[in-house]
Amino acid sequence: MKNQILFLSVFLISMTMFGQKDEIKAAEKALKSNDFNTAIAAINQAESLIGSADDKTKAKFYYLKGLALYQNGGPQMNVENTSAAFTQLREFEKSINSYKYSDEIGGLINKMVNGLAENASKDYSAAIESKEPADFKKAAKQFHQVYMLSKKDTVFLDNAALVYYFGKDYKTSRDLYKQLLDLNYTGIATEYIATNKSDGQDVSYPDKKAMDLQVKLGIAENPREEVKDSRRELIFKNLAQNSSDLEELNVALDYIAQGRKEFPKSYSLLIDEANIYYKLGNNPKFKELLEMAIEMNPTEPTLYYNVGVMNMDQKKIDEAIKYFEKAIELKPDYGDAYNNIGAAIIDKAAPIIEEMNKSLTDFAKYDKLQKKQFDIYKQAVPYYEKAYELNKSSISVVQTLMGLYENLGGMDDKLEALKAVYAELKGE
């Protein structure tokens, strides 16, 4: 009985092998006559049987599968499936240390890579015009396919990650950036550039040899080499941005921590970290990081302005005014800073108003306190007037200035002029 079972098993294996070979032969015959539908059908029939085939048969199967899907590069070709099939072939032959078919498809892959890269660039340009996320994702997918076909061209994986972000596919973008980190990708490369003599335009060449030949032939001049900066800092930044957009703020902070460990002097990563803490509602940490940023970049007015806002939140009025004044010193037309100095000055009247409310029956004390209140308001007026001068469309500035004029009195002309502006802004 055992012998009978063994005999049947051997018989079934033999039948499977014949089935594989028959389908592979049918696919090969169909390909010779460009009958791609028949070839694909035969490949599909053999697919379920190929697991038990020997390495030689498997390699041929993957080769024919790729050719069947490639369809001579015609319009019916499914680029994604063809790319996957060729990749499967190359990875299998690499695993068995035999490159017979991989070498044969090299020219086809180069042709696909060039075509995909060209289409990806065109689609990216179209996406920039349309600004539609779907158009960006279409271009990103093709950039990624180029990389899958030619993994030495890591820059296309970088392109895909960035363009997926533009397409608001934050998860895919993040996954691709993580691959770049795993590959220890830096993006550092030497670009070979020369000026075309006929039109004066700069041209990039794939290598120094190609550039030198053009110069030698008198077609180009002014040859030079430019080394591109590392993109790793930007990769950490974009990983954090994708995570932030996915509302995974703690994950974003982890990526920034990794980035700042590698780039401790990165102003950009520091600002991103500050913004995430602000998004988390951790204002003290936000302020602390902004103060660190000021040490790194002491001429950026926005930093002083934001620290001023944080000081106002903490009721440190004089400290806030100091930072707003520094922002104005660096940017004299900083309308929001003028507005906030005015608001900070008015805040100084808050305890006086509170005391006035407690002294409603003591007219002498009330009048004395109100004079102090109005003296403070007078200090705020020039700042609000400057804010209005710099931004005449701000309803809040106009409203505040109208209130000051009305409270202080003696400014009827200015008040009436602002009332007309206010009515116009409200569309009355």
Side-chain angles (χ1 to χ4, degrees):
M1 186 66 179
K2 288 181 180 179
N3 290 337
Q4 185 179 7
I5 292 172
L6 178 62
F7 171 77
L8 286 173
S9 298
V10 171
F11 179 74
L12 288 171
I13 291 170
S14 299
M15 289 296 291
T16 300
M17 291 176 63
F18 282 124
Q20 292 164 357
K21 291 181 179 179
D22 285 346
E23 298 297 346
I24 288 172
K25 284 181 180 178
E28 191 171 17
K29 182 179 178 182
L31 283 171
K32 286 179 180 177
S33 59
N34 293 328
D35 185 354
F36 300 112
N37 290 333
T38 299
I40 290 171
I43 289 295
N44 289 339
Q45 287 292 322
E47 188 107 44
S48 61
L49 308 173
I50 202 63
S52 60
D54 58 76
D55 288 346
K56 183 179 178 181
T57 304
K58 283 181 180 178
K60 187 170 186 178
F61 167 80
Y62 293 133
Y63 169 65
L64 294 174
K65 179 181 179 180
L67 291 182
L69 292 169
Y70 180 66
Q71 300 192 39
N72 287 343
Q76 301 304 315
M77 174 184 63
N78 182 302
V79 173
E80 188 171 5
N81 292 342
T82 306
S83 172
F86 283 147
T87 299
Q88 189 177 30
L89 167 63
R90 289 192 300 182
E91 288 178 351
F92 177 73
E93 288 204 320
K94 183 179 180 180
S95 72
I96 63 173
N97 198 29
S98 171
Y99 300 93
K100 175 183 177 182
Y101 296 114
S102 295
D103 292 340
E104 286 189 30
I105 64 169
L108 298 181
I109 289 176
N110 286 339
K111 187 175 180 181
M112 284 184 67
V113 164
N114 292 335
L116 278 171
E118 185 178 346
N119 288 337
S121 296
K122 288 179 180 177
D123 286 341
Y124 177 60
S125 296
I128 291 174
E129 291 292 324
S130 72
K131 297 180 174 58
E132 289 293 330
D135 292 339
F136 281 112
K137 284 190 279 190
K138 180 182 177 184
K141 183 177 181 180
Q142 293 187 89
F143 279 127
H144 190 217
Q145 287 172 342
V146 173
Y147 167 71
M148 293 303 295
L149 280 168
S150 182
K151 290 194 174 181
K152 68 180 186 296
D153 295 324
T154 330
V155 67
F156 286 102
L157 182 59
D158 192 351
N159 288 347
L162 180 62
V163 180
Y164 268 122
Y165 176 77
F166 292 153
K168 303 186 186 303
D169 188 343
Y170 304 125
K171 187 177 185 309
T172 302
S173 176
R174 186 173 66 179
D175 289 344
L176 298 188
Y177 276 125
K178 285 164 66 177
Q179 285 185 43
L180 288 166
L181 281 188
D182 292 341
L183 292 167
N184 292 317
Y185 171 76
T186 65
I188 298 173
T190 301
E191 191 171 3
Y192 301 95
I193 304 170
T195 305
N196 189 303
K197 283 186 175 181
S198 64
D199 58 14
Q201 297 295 313
D202 285 342
V203 179
S204 294
Y205 297 91
D207 50 47
K208 188 175 186 301
K209 184 178 179 181
M211 178 182 71
D212 290 344
L213 178 60
Q214 292 284 294
V215 173
K216 187 177 180 180
L217 293 172
I219 298 171
E221 60 186 356
N222 189 25
R224 55 203 184 275
E225 298 177 14
E226 294 182 4
V227 179
K228 294 181 178 179
D229 294 334
S230 170
R231 286 180 55 79
R232 282 184 68 81
E233 181 183 344
L234 186 61
I235 289 171
F236 285 115
K237 180 182 176 71
N238 290 348
L239 278 165
Q241 186 62 60
N242 277 306
S243 300
S244 179
D245 288 329
L246 288 166
E247 298 299 326
E248 297 176 10
L249 300 182
N250 289 321
V251 175
L253 287 174
D254 286 341
Y255 282 123
I256 287 177
Q258 292 177 46
R260 290 193 64 198
K261 185 177 180 181
E262 192 168 323
F263 301 95
K265 296 182 179 179
S266 171
Y267 171 77
S268 177
L269 288 173
L270 178 61
I271 291 297
D272 286 348
E273 184 177 6
N275 287 333
I276 291 172
Y277 276 112
Y278 181 74
K279 199 171 181 179
L280 284 166
N282 190 337
N283 288 348
K285 186 67 175 178
F286 174 62
K287 180 186 171 186
E288 175 192 331
L289 292 169
L290 289 183
E291 288 170 339
M292 290 173 61
I294 285 174
E295 291 180 17
M296 295 176 69
N297 187 8
T299 60
E300 173 51 57
T302 307
L303 296 176
Y304 293 94
Y305 174 82
N306 285 331
V307 174
V309 171
M310 291 299 101
N311 277 311
M312 280 190 71
D313 287 346
Q314 295 170 2
K315 302 302 179 185
K316 298 177 180 178
I317 304 303
D318 289 333
E319 193 73 5
I321 291 172
K322 183 180 77 173
Y323 277 97
F324 292 137
E325 286 175 341
K326 183 63 178 179
I328 290 169
E329 178 187 324
L330 293 167
K331 188 176 187 292
D333 62 346
Y334 208 149
D336 287 341
Y338 283 104
N339 178 78
N340 280 14
I341 290 177
I345 291 171
I346 288 176
D347 271 0
K348 289 184 175 185
I352 297 173
I353 295 171
E354 186 177 343
E355 189 64 25
M356 288 168 64
N357 290 333
K358 295 177 183 177
S359 309
L360 296 175
T361 58
D362 188 340
F363 299 121
K365 184 178 180 181
Y366 184 91
D367 290 343
K368 187 177 180 181
L369 288 169
Q370 188 176 61
K371 183 179 182 307
K372 287 184 178 180
Q373 176 196 10
F374 287 171
D375 285 343
I376 290 173
Y377 283 0
K378 286 175 184 176
Q379 295 173 39
V381 168
Y383 292 100
Y384 276 110
E385 287 181 336
K386 185 65 176 180
Y388 172 65
E389 177 188 324
L390 292 168
N391 183 9
K392 288 184 165 56
S393 62
S394 173
I395 290 182
S396 65
V397 171
V398 170
Q399 284 177 314
T400 304
L401 202 48
M402 285 168 58
L404 289 171
Y405 289 157
E406 197 164 2
N407 274 284
L408 294 172
M411 300 182 182
D412 292 344
D413 291 345
K414 289 184 176 182
L415 178 59
E416 290 305 313
L418 274 186
K419 283 182 177 179
V421 172
Y422 180 69
E424 185 176 347
L425 288 174
K426 290 194 69 177
E428 294 178 356

